[in-house]
Amino acid sequence: MTTESHLSALETKHHRLDDEISGEMHRPTPDQVRLTSLKREKLRIKEEITRLQD
C-alpha cells in the first residue's frame, strides 16, 4: 500500500469515526464508554495522519 492510499484510508476512517461519535452523542442516553473509545481511536488516527503528512 502506498503512503497516499494509506493516508486516504486513514482520512476515510477518521470521517467515519466522526460520524459515529456524532450519532452516539445524539442518542437519548449516549454510551460514555463507547464515546471515549471512539474519540481515542479518532485521535490515534489523526496523529498518524499528521505523522505521515510531515
Side-chain angles (χ1 to χ4, degrees):
M1 180 180 281
T2 66
T3 303
E4 289 178 18
S5 63
H6 183 59
L7 188 58
S8 177
L10 288 172
E11 289 172 345
T12 299
K13 188 169 184 178
H14 187 266
H15 290 297
R16 183 185 56 78
L17 285 167
D18 200 31
D19 291 343
E20 285 188 51
I21 290 167
S22 179
E24 187 66 38
M25 291 177 72
H26 286 94
R27 290 180 47 183
T29 53
D31 182 345
Q32 293 301 318
V33 174
R34 185 165 190 265
L35 273 174
T36 300
S37 176
L38 291 170
K39 287 178 179 182
R40 283 185 180 149
E41 180 69 9
K42 183 180 170 189
L43 179 59
R44 187 191 66 76
I45 290 171
K46 181 65 176 175
E47 289 171 346
E48 188 171 351
I49 289 169
T50 300
R51 184 180 58 79
L52 289 172
Q53 289 176 335
D54 288 342

